[in-house]
Amino acid sequence: MKKLFFAVSALAALTLLAPSAGFAQTAFNQIGLYTDMTGTPSSASINPTVNVPFSVFLVVTNPVNHAFVDGNGTPPFERVMTAVSGFEAQVGFWTGPAAADPTLPGLFVLSQNFNGNAIRLGEGNEYVVGFADPVPVSGVAAMMMTFSVMVTDGNPKEVFLNTTTVPSIPGFMAIVDGSIVSNNLQAAWPSSGDYANHVFGINTGVVAVETESWGNVKSLFR
């Protein structure tokens, strides 16, 4: 069974999410960490002041449903997401999946907050998250959560994203199209383009992958 859930209980009711069919590796459906909420590539690194907290945002950029079915017998086609209702990823501030595992040396995660009411499965660096109300896509980005981070030294630190220990889609992170209730689970990629490349740098840079323009994304409908 797949483990990405909508949050519905006191927030609404819990619904199991179903996976979609094929995936193509593009600049769509990227998950990254940034110091701004819009996923600007230049904000994927920071040279912070030691012992002063700063915010890091987990952002989904260019979310597209590659297997949308309109219910009228039309074959699946690509559809730009207007909201994202969940995500699944490992976030590399921590060195392992267990809650007891430490963060990167010299780094402290002071707090973490979701962008709305959410249910989280997993602990430590494991995030399987569903939102009671889908997070709207603004421009090409949906900000899913905020980490308050502090470093106690000036050493370079590289932060990676990866699949969860038991991913819903083997080999991939995942996001959920928040505007439909079926064919809504989609594969996602790190903003660095490869799990072997860090998505966020502290006192070190990041080579960002060029993303599609919003006009190119919208042209899927033309």
Side-chain angles (χ1 to χ4, degrees):
M1 294 180 69
K2 304 305 181 186
K3 59 174 181 158
L4 224 80
F5 292 89
F6 284 113
V8 266
S9 60
L11 313 173
L14 255 162
T15 303
L16 190 63
L17 301 176
S20 69
F23 316 104
Q25 185 164 2
T26 68
F28 304 132
N29 297 351
Q30 290 191 341
I31 302 176
L33 297 169
Y34 307 91
T35 57
D36 70 21
M37 298 184 187
T38 59
T40 306
S42 61
S43 72
S45 62
I46 187 173
N47 297 315
T49 302
V50 171
N51 296 325
V52 175
F54 58 95
S55 295
V56 179
F57 304 99
L58 189 147
V59 181
V60 173
T61 53
N62 288 336
V64 171
N65 188 329
H66 292 291
F68 177 67
V69 179
D70 64 7
N72 297 316
T74 302
F77 62 90
E78 293 178 317
R79 173 187 182 278
V80 176
M81 296 186 196
T82 58
V84 179
S85 58
F87 70 93
E88 178 181 293
Q90 280 191 14
V91 182
F93 292 123
W94 291 266
T95 56
D101 283 356
T103 54
L104 295 172
L107 180 149
F108 292 89
V109 176
L110 305 178
S111 65
Q112 46 190 310
N113 296 287
F114 297 107
N115 189 12
N117 292 326
I119 290 176
R120 174 191 174 186
L121 305 180
E123 56 184 14
N125 66 3
E126 297 264 332
Y127 285 83
V128 178
V129 179
F131 289 83
D133 298 307
V135 177
V137 176
S138 178
V140 296
M143 192 278 283
M144 310 306 293
M145 67 178 299
T146 306
F147 297 92
S148 178
V149 178
M150 185 179 75
V151 295
T152 57
D153 60 49
N155 296 331
K157 306 180 198 306
E158 298 177 344
V159 183
F160 296 80
L161 296 179
N162 212 327
T163 66
T164 54
T165 303
V166 185
S168 294
I169 305 172
F172 294 96
M173 299 183 293
I175 59 175
V176 183
D177 188 342
S179 57
I180 58 176
V181 296
S182 62
N183 297 300
N184 53 6
L185 182 61
Q186 291 289 289
W189 289 265
S191 58
S192 59
D194 194 299
Y195 296 121
N197 300 330
H198 62 286
V199 299
F200 189 77
I202 300 172
N203 297 312
T204 186
V206 172
V207 177
V209 173
E210 185 69 23
T211 58
E212 297 286 345
S213 70
W214 183 238
N216 287 343
V217 176
K218 289 193 293 184
S219 71
L220 294 171
F221 292 112
R222 297 172 186 162

